[in-house]
Amino acid sequence: MAQKVVEDHLAVHTLIRAYQIRGHHAAQLDPLGILEADLDSFVPSDLITTIDKLAFYGLHEDDLDKTFQLPSTTFIGGNETTLTLREIIHRLETTYCSHIGVEFMFINNVEQCQWIRQRFETPGILQFSDSEKRTLLARLVRSTRFEDFLARKWSSEKRFGLEGCEVLIPALKMIIDMSSAAGIESIVMGMPHRGRLNVLANVVRKELDQIFCQFDPKLEAADEGSGDVKYHLGMHHERLNRETDRNITLSLMANPSHLEAVDPVVQGKAKAEQFYRGDTHGRKVMSILMHGDAAFAGQGVVYETFHLSELPSYTTHGTIHLVVNNQIGFTSDPRVARSSPYPTDVARVVNAPIFHVNADDPEAVMYVCRVAAGWRNTFNKDVVIDLVSYRRFGHNEMDEPMFTQPQMYKQIRRQEQVLKKYSDKLIAEGVVTLQEFEEEVAKYDKICEEAYTRSKDEKILRISQWLDSPWPDFFTAEGEPRSMTCPPTGIEEEILQHIGLKASCVPIEDFKIHPGVSRILRGRADLLKKRQIDWALGEYMAFGSLLKDGIHVRLSGQDVERGTFSHRHHVLHDQEMDKRFCVPMNKLWSDQAPYTVCNSSLSEFGVLGFELGFAMASPNVLVLWEAQFGDFHNTAQCIIDQFICPGQTKWYRNNGIVLLLPHGMEGMGPEHSSARPERFLQMSKDDPDRFPEYNGDFEVQQLNDCNWIVVNVSTPANYCHVLRRQILLPFRKPLIIFTPKSLLRHPDARSSFDELAPGTPKITRSKILCCINHQMNKFWLSAGTRFKRLIPDESPASQSPGQVQRVIFCTGKVYYELAKERKVQNLEREIAIVRLEQISPFPFDLVKAEVNKFSNAELVWCQEEHKNMGYYDYVRPRFLTAVDNKKPIWYVGRDPAAAPATGNKSTHLNELNTFMNTAFNLSIFQDRSF
C-alpha cells in the first residue's frame, strides 16, 4: 500500500511537470478556432485531455478525488499544500491550457523557472480591477477606432492596419506603464510597417493631424530629402506617462520594408543611451521590438540580434519582444514558412521565456505583458510575447487574401472585433454601461475628426517632424549645421609623443605580454624616436587625440582588438594569468573620454546594424565597424543599402558611422581581395556631369551635399586626419574607408610628425568652433595640416610639369607599386603620379588644378582592380567633366572579370606585371582615338 502511495505521488508530480513543459501545446490560442498556434497538431499524450489518459501515469478515474501532496515546484495550491487529483488537473488546465501558453521549462535556471511558475500558477492571480478594465477598454477603443477612421477616410490607400491584432496598442502601453513604474526613463522601439501608424498615434502620441496629412496626395515634399512612405517613418517624443505620473521618452525607429532589419539598430541605440547615462544594468533605458510571425521565424538577423543580447559590449540588459502572429506571411501558410512548431522558437537559444496568448482575450494579453515587464525588470533578460491573432485584410488593404487562404478568410469575415467582444463582456459584468462605452467611442471619433480638419491646412511634408534620433544641441533650431567650415585636423607634437609613448609600453606593472607583442611595441618606440608613424600608430594618434578632447571612440567588429592582420593590439593579454587584460588607450589621460574596443560575434548584418544604432544616439562619438576582410560587408548589405546610404535623405537623420574595409589585390584569392568599392561609388549621389559650384569652403559644402564619404587613403597621416575630420565637421556623414593590408607594414607607408602638425593659429573670437560641441576642447581655425583629398605628385616630375608626358591618377596601395616601377624604369621626370585619397564626393576642384598643372600630359587612370570593378566607372565621367571633355582619361588595370581576383599567385603576378608595363609605356595610347 505504501509503495502505491509513493508511486501515485510520483506520478502526480510527473503529471504536473508535463503540464509545465507541454501544456502550451493544448492551449486555446487561435482566436479563429481553426488552426493550432504551433505546427505540431498532436496533443501530447501525457496531458489529461480525456479520463483514459490517466492510465499513462498508472492512475485511474477513482483516484480523481484522492488528495496528493504538492511538490515545491508548483504554486497551483496557493496556500494549500494538498489538493485532489481532480483539482490539480483542473488548475493545471486553467493555467497552461486556456488562452495563455507558457514556454519556459527549457530555461536552465531554477530561480527563473520558479518565478514564472508563481506568476502563472497562483490561483486567482489573473485578476484586474474595474478601473484597470476600463483603462484597457479605453485603449482598445483608441486602437480600433483609429484604424476604422483611416479605413473610412482613405479606403483605397495602403496603410498596413492593425485590424485583427488591435490589442497590440494596450499591450505596449501596459509594458510602458510597468517599465515606467520600475524606473525606466527611455524606451527605444522597432517594428515592421503593420500597425506602425497606430503605434505612432496611440503609443508615441504623435499629433494625429501630422499622420493624417500624410495621406494627402497634394502634399508638397519639403527640400529636406526624398522622404519615405508613411508606414516606414519613425518618431522621438518625451511625454508624461499618466499611469505613473513620470516623464518617459519614446523613440520609434524608422524602418524599411526589410521587416527585421531594424532589430540590431534599435539595440545599438538603446545600448548607446544606456552608455551615456551610465546605466550599466539597463535600469533607465530599455528596448522593445515588435515582429511579424513569418519574419521572426524566417529572417536570420533575428538570430544574430538574439546572440548579441548577452555579450558584454552589446547587451541592452533585456529586450521585450512582441510578435504580432497573424498566422500567415503575406500569402504563405505557416506550414511552408517555417520548420519550427512556433514562429518564436528562435528565442529559445538564449533561454528567453515565451508567452503565447490568444489576442482576442485582452485581459490575458495584459497579464502576459505585466509578467514580461516584470521579468525584464527582475532578470534583465529577453522575453517574448506571441500575440496569436489574425489579419483582417490582405497583406495590405488592397490585397485579396481569399485567393490563397479561402477558409481562413471566410472565418475572419465572420469574426467579431475584439472591441465588441470585450465591451459586451464589461457591460455584462457591470463594469461600464453601454452609454459610457458609446461616449468613449464618440470622444475619440471627435478627436480624429478635429485632427482631420486641421490636417487639411498642412501644405508641406516635413521629414524633420518624423525624426527618430534628434541632436538638438548639435544643429540649429532649424536642424541646419551651425557653420560650414572645418578646422585643421593636426595634433600638437607633445600630444603625439604622449600618445606614442603610451602606445609603445604596457601601463600595468607585473603584466607579461607575448614576445611578439613586445617586438611590435619596441617597433613603435623606434618610430617615435624618428618622429614617424605607421598605420597602427596613425590610428592610435587619431583615437587618442579625440579621447583627450572628450570624444568617445567605439571600435567594433570581428577580431578588432588584435586586428585581423595582427597590427593593432589595442587589448594586451597577460600571458600568465587567464582573463587578465589591459587596454592602454584607456590610460592615456585621467580625464579622457572612454575608449571601447570589442570583438564582436561572427556577424556582419547584426553587428553593423548595432553600431549604426549606437552612432545615432549622439554626434559626439566616433563609432567604427571593421570588417574582418572588406568583402564580408556584403552579408550586411541590407544595412548599407537601406540605412547607411539613404538614411539622411529618407529619414532626415545624420549618422557618422565609419566602415573600415580591408581592401587590396594581394594574391589572396577572390574572397579576401576586394571590398567592392564599385558598389559604394555607384550609390554615391554626386552628379558626374556637373562641376560643383560653391561659395565658401568647397570641401565642406561638397561633403554636406553628399550621402556618404568614400576614401582610400595611402598614408598613416591621412588616415589619422580623415578620422579626426569625421568628428570636427559641423555635420555627420557615413565614412567608408578602404583600409590596407600589406601597407600596414610597408616600409614606405610611413608618415612624419610634420604631416600632422597643428599649425600656429591666431586665436580670434570668430575662429572658435564652440558650436560643434560645448563639451569639447576648443578647436581653432588655422593653417595647420588637414586631410588631403588628393596628394599631388612629389617626384621630380612636379618640378617641371610642362615636360611631363603622362599623369597617372590612382588610389590606395597601387600607388606604391607604381612609384617603385617608375623609379625602376627611370621615368620620374616623364610621368607624374597623383593619388586620389577621397574618391567620393569627387574632388573636382583639385583634379582640375592637377590637370591644368600638367597641361601637356595625357591622363591615365590606373587601378589594380578589374575594369568592371573598382573605381573606373565612377571616376571616368567625373574626370571628363573636370577637363570639360577636352581630353580622354585612359584606363590601365586588369581586364573585366566575374571574380574580384584570381586564386592563382602566378596569374596574379602576371596581371600586375602586364598593367605595370602598360602604365609606363608612353606610346601605347598614341594611336587611339578619343
Side-chain angles (χ1 to χ4, degrees):
M1 184 67 181
Q3 175 77 16
K4 180 72 165 70
V5 170
V6 171
E7 289 176 354
D8 287 353
H9 271 79
L10 289 174
V12 170
H13 291 191
T14 304
L15 183 151
I16 292 170
R17 183 172 175 82
Y19 273 89
Q20 291 171 340
I21 296 173
R22 286 179 288 279
H24 56 87
H25 286 294
Q28 300 162 37
L29 298 176
D30 179 19
L32 302 176
I34 57 174
L35 295 172
E36 300 293 338
D38 64 286
L39 299 185
D40 293 336
S41 56
F42 71 94
V43 176
S45 57
D46 51 358
L47 302 184
I48 310 302
T49 52
T50 56
I51 292 297
D52 60 293
K53 287 193 174 182
L54 286 170
F56 181 86
Y57 296 97
L59 298 169
H60 306 283
E61 187 172 356
D62 55 5
D63 293 321
L64 286 173
D65 295 314
K66 290 182 181 177
T67 300
F68 291 89
Q69 186 78 30
L70 297 173
S72 61
T73 54
T74 187
F75 293 86
I76 59 172
N79 295 324
E80 302 173 81
T81 57
T82 61
L83 289 175
T84 64
L85 177 58
R86 188 185 305 276
E87 186 63 20
I88 288 172
I89 294 172
H90 170 69
R91 294 190 183 186
L92 289 172
E93 290 280 338
T94 301
T95 298
Y96 291 109
C97 302
S98 295
H99 287 164
I100 298 174
V102 188
E103 273 192 281
F104 70 102
M105 288 292 283
F106 52 82
I107 296 173
N108 51 18
N109 182 295
V110 174
E111 178 194 357
Q112 292 172 7
C113 289
Q114 286 289 80
W115 189 93
I116 292 172
R117 290 186 189 110
Q118 184 175 17
R119 276 149 186 81
F120 285 100
E121 293 182 352
T122 302
I125 200 168
L126 208 159
Q127 298 293 329
F128 289 86
S129 68
D130 287 355
S131 174
E132 290 171 329
K133 291 178 180 180
R134 283 192 291 270
T135 298
L136 170 53
L137 179 64
R139 289 172 171 178
L140 261 181
V141 165
R142 288 177 171 251
S143 175
T144 305
R145 298 302 291 177
F146 177 82
E147 298 295 353
D148 291 348
F149 184 83
L150 296 184
R152 287 197 309 274
K153 295 294 184 183
W154 298 282
S155 58
S156 60
E157 281 274 346
K158 290 181 185 179
R159 54 186 166 81
F160 295 95
L162 200 52
E163 291 96 338
C165 194
E166 294 93 340
V167 77
L168 174 67
I169 300 303
L172 280 171
K173 293 176 81 72
M174 171 62 83
I175 292 169
I176 292 167
D177 291 346
M178 295 293 296
S179 301
S180 175
I184 292 293
E185 298 171 355
S186 178
I187 298 178
V188 186
M189 299 185 291
M191 69 179 299
H193 40 279
R194 187 165 311 285
R196 177 176 286 263
L197 296 180
N198 207 325
V199 170
L200 284 165
N202 290 312
V203 178
V204 185
R205 293 190 195 158
K206 184 167 184 62
E207 296 291 339
L208 290 178
D209 54 304
Q210 291 185 14
I211 295 175
F212 295 160
C213 73
Q214 293 277 325
F215 288 90
D216 185 355
K218 298 176 183 177
L219 199 65
E220 295 180 19
D223 57 1
E224 298 162 340
S226 60
D228 202 347
V229 291
K230 49 191 167 289
Y231 38 81
H232 286 174
L233 300 175
M235 174 67 180
H236 176 278
H237 187 211
E238 183 178 350
R239 66 171 178 81
L240 181 70
N241 182 279
R242 296 191 183 105
E243 294 297 310
T244 61
D245 202 31
R246 295 176 177 177
N247 279 343
I248 191 161
T249 299
L250 301 177
S251 297
L252 178 63
M253 306 300 290
N255 190 32
S257 288
H258 301 63
L259 299 175
E260 301 292 339
V262 80
D263 295 356
V265 182
V266 166
Q267 302 296 61
K269 187 181 179 194
K271 182 66 174 180
E273 288 198 18
Q274 291 173 351
F275 177 84
Y276 297 126
R277 291 171 182 250
D279 183 15
T280 54
H281 295 94
R283 299 299 183 188
K284 299 294 182 186
V285 181
M286 65 174 286
S287 56
I288 297 175
L289 287 174
M290 288 157 272
H291 315 266
D293 52 316
F296 199 64
Q299 295 288 299
V301 70
V302 175
Y303 184 86
E304 291 186 35
T305 305
F306 267 116
H307 268 287
L308 298 177
S309 65
E310 300 286 336
L311 302 182
S313 295
Y314 301 88
T315 181
T316 55
H317 308 285
T319 297
I320 298 178
H321 301 262
L322 288 103
V323 178
V324 176
N325 185 350
N326 294 316
Q327 307 182 81
I328 187 173
F330 201 154
T331 66
S332 294
D333 188 282
R335 289 167 292 190
V336 299
R338 67 175 189 263
S339 296
S340 59
Y342 293 104
T344 53
D345 286 334
V346 63
R348 295 167 67 109
V349 300
V350 292
N351 281 333
I354 302 165
F355 306 140
H356 308 279
V357 59
N358 186 319
D360 266 15
D361 184 345
E363 289 180 15
V365 174
M366 292 309 103
Y367 186 73
V368 159
C369 292
R370 185 183 288 174
V371 173
W375 167 273
R376 194 269 172 195
N377 183 54
T378 303
F379 299 108
N380 291 111
K381 292 176 69 69
D382 283 31
V383 57
V384 176
I385 300 168
D386 179 18
L387 295 172
V388 184
S389 54
Y390 58 92
R391 191 187 66 197
R392 187 166 288 278
F393 303 111
H395 177 65
N396 60 65
E397 288 72 20
M398 303 298 98
D399 197 41
E400 176 50 78
M402 291 285 285
F403 289 154
T404 50
Q405 275 77 30
Q407 298 307 311
M408 172 185 270
Y409 274 86
K410 284 177 185 176
Q411 176 59 39
I412 287 173
R413 287 175 179 177
R414 294 191 294 265
Q415 191 80 0
E416 212 170 35
Q417 274 189 337
V418 67
L419 176 61
K420 178 71 166 61
K421 291 181 181 179
Y422 192 59
S423 61
D424 288 350
K425 176 178 181 289
L426 295 195
I427 291 168
E429 291 176 1
V431 175
V432 296
T433 66
L434 177 60
Q435 182 181 349
E436 287 171 334
F437 169 64
E438 289 176 344
E439 286 174 353
E440 188 69 34
V441 171
K443 175 183 167 185
Y444 188 68
D445 285 353
K446 183 182 178 185
I447 291 171
C448 290
E449 287 290 352
E450 290 173 349
Y452 175 66
T453 301
R454 290 195 306 274
S455 73
K456 294 180 179 179
D457 296 331
E458 295 286 343
K459 303 300 181 188
I460 297 177
L461 166 62
R462 299 197 180 278
I463 311 172
S464 55
Q465 295 174 343
W466 299 77
L467 189 58
D468 60 18
S469 304
W471 297 338
D473 297 329
F474 186 71
F475 294 114
T476 65
E478 294 74 31
E480 296 298 321
R482 294 182 183 270
S483 72
M484 202 50 71
T485 56
C486 181
T489 46
I491 307 169
E492 297 284 349
E493 178 144 354
E494 64 179 275
I495 296 176
L496 294 175
Q497 289 286 353
H498 177 83
I499 296 171
L501 183 64
K502 294 290 186 179
S504 54
C505 68
V506 182
I508 297 178
E509 294 183 2
D510 301 321
F511 191 99
K512 186 173 178 58
I513 60 174
H514 190 278
V517 177
S518 294
R519 188 165 56 251
I520 290 170
L521 299 189
R522 287 195 301 272
R524 291 177 183 173
D526 291 341
L527 285 171
L528 204 61
K529 293 173 185 175
K530 301 172 187 175
R531 299 180 63 255
Q532 289 183 339
I533 58 171
D534 61 4
W535 214 268
L537 270 177
E539 184 177 79
Y540 228 106
M541 298 304 181
F543 290 0
S545 59
L546 291 173
L547 294 170
K548 184 180 189 300
D549 289 319
I551 299 297
H552 172 50
V553 178
R554 177 182 169 94
L555 172 62
S556 162
Q558 296 157 21
D559 312 296
V560 296
E561 295 178 5
R562 190 202 76 171
T564 300
F565 310 102
S566 196
H567 70 290
R568 183 174 288 127
H569 293 283
H570 283 190
V571 179
L572 305 179
H573 294 266
D574 194 315
Q575 299 296 297
E576 295 183 347
M577 187 179 297
D578 188 31
K579 297 180 182 177
R580 188 179 184 219
F581 58 88
C582 165
V583 182
M585 193 86 77
N586 272 323
K587 300 182 181 298
L588 297 175
W589 289 277
S590 59
D591 58 347
Q592 68 173 69
Y595 173 54
T596 303
V597 56
C598 46
N599 289 342
S600 73
S601 65
L602 204 68
S603 153
E604 288 83 26
F605 192 161
V607 175
L608 180 56
F610 186 98
E611 300 308 330
L612 179 76
F614 199 104
M616 283 178 191
S618 170
N620 302 316
V621 56
L622 183 68
V623 177
L624 309 97
W625 174 77
E626 183 174 69
Q628 191 180 73
F629 285 90
D631 51 334
F632 289 175
H633 76 75
N634 58 16
T635 59
Q637 200 69 46
C638 178
I639 295 295
I640 294 167
D641 288 357
Q642 313 308 133
F643 290 86
I644 299 178
C645 172
Q648 183 176 355
T649 191
K650 287 201 300 186
W651 303 320
Y652 196 63
R653 82 183 163 204
N654 276 222
N655 195 294
I657 190 169
V658 180
L659 275 61
L660 303 178
L661 307 177
H663 171 83
M665 307 293 116
E666 315 274 8
M668 296 180 67
E671 267 63 73
H672 292 332
S673 296
S674 178
R676 294 292 191 174
E678 64 277 2
R679 294 182 179 172
F680 293 95
L681 295 173
Q682 188 242 350
M683 292 189 285
S684 297
K685 75 166 191 174
D686 59 332
D687 189 340
D689 303 319
R690 186 181 67 85
F691 196 107
E693 295 181 4
Y694 297 109
N695 294 320
D697 192 320
F698 185 99
E699 174 184 354
V700 175
Q701 292 191 48
Q702 191 184 30
L703 292 174
N704 186 51
D705 286 348
C706 76
N707 61 316
W708 58 17
I709 306 164
V710 181
V711 303
N712 188 352
V713 293
S714 61
T715 71
N718 228 20
Y719 179 48
C720 179
H721 280 300
V722 79
L723 292 176
R724 285 177 52 77
R725 186 185 72 169
Q726 188 70 355
I727 288 296
L728 294 178
L729 284 168
F731 45 78
R732 294 290 175 262
K733 301 285 179 175
L735 172 61
I736 316 300
I737 306 180
F738 301 118
T739 55
K741 293 174 285 185
S742 61
L743 292 193
L744 297 174
R745 295 177 177 81
H746 197 293
D748 294 335
R750 302 281 186 269
S751 295
S752 164
F753 279 14
D754 294 336
E755 296 173 62
L756 292 171
T760 53
K762 268 191 178 180
I763 299 174
T764 63
R765 188 175 182 82
S766 64
K767 292 181 178 179
I768 302 175
L769 284 172
C770 60
C771 296
I772 293 181
N773 176 7
H774 300 302
Q775 305 300 318
M776 286 174 57
N777 288 351
K778 296 179 177 111
F779 295 97
W780 311 103
L781 290 169
S782 73
T785 55
R786 299 170 179 268
F787 171 68
K788 296 178 179 179
R789 292 177 292 148
L790 178 149
I791 299 180
D793 184 85
E794 298 165 348
S795 73
S798 62
Q799 307 303 316
S800 305
Q803 299 177 20
V804 172
Q805 300 176 47
R806 175 177 293 173
V807 181
I808 299 176
F809 288 89
C810 65
T811 188
K813 173 184 75 73
V814 74
Y815 163 77
Y816 293 93
E817 292 160 332
L818 288 167
K820 179 181 177 182
E821 185 66 22
R822 178 178 62 177
K823 190 171 185 178
V824 169
Q825 297 199 25
N826 196 25
L827 292 171
E828 289 184 300
R829 294 192 177 277
E830 292 82 4
I831 295 178
I833 305 175
V834 178
R835 285 171 271 179
L836 220 60
E837 300 283 286
Q838 178 179 296
I839 307 151
S840 179
F842 190 76
F844 286 96
D845 54 332
L846 302 182
V847 168
K848 186 169 186 174
E850 288 300 303
V851 171
N852 291 341
K853 178 180 177 181
F854 301 101
S855 56
N856 299 324
E858 63 181 3
L859 308 180
V860 165
W861 174 260
C862 181
Q863 65 178 38
E864 58 181 352
E865 297 82 7
H866 291 281
K867 189 174 184 179
N868 58 322
M869 302 174 195
Y871 320 92
Y872 180 62
D873 285 341
Y874 175 85
V875 301
R876 183 179 180 274
R878 289 163 178 82
F879 267 105
L880 295 177
T881 298
V883 300
D884 297 323
N885 287 287
K886 292 178 178 176
K887 61 166 65 176
I889 175 92
W890 301 111
Y891 171 79
V892 172
R894 288 179 166 88
D895 292 335
T902 178
N904 183 279
K905 189 73 172 181
S906 174
T907 303
H908 165 77
L909 294 175
N910 287 337
E911 291 173 345
L912 176 63
N913 290 333
T914 298
F915 79 74
M916 280 293 152
N917 290 334
T918 304
F920 294 101
N921 183 343
L922 291 173
S923 63
I924 196 164
F925 300 116
Q926 285 181 358
D927 298 328
R928 297 196 189 180
S929 59
F930 170 42

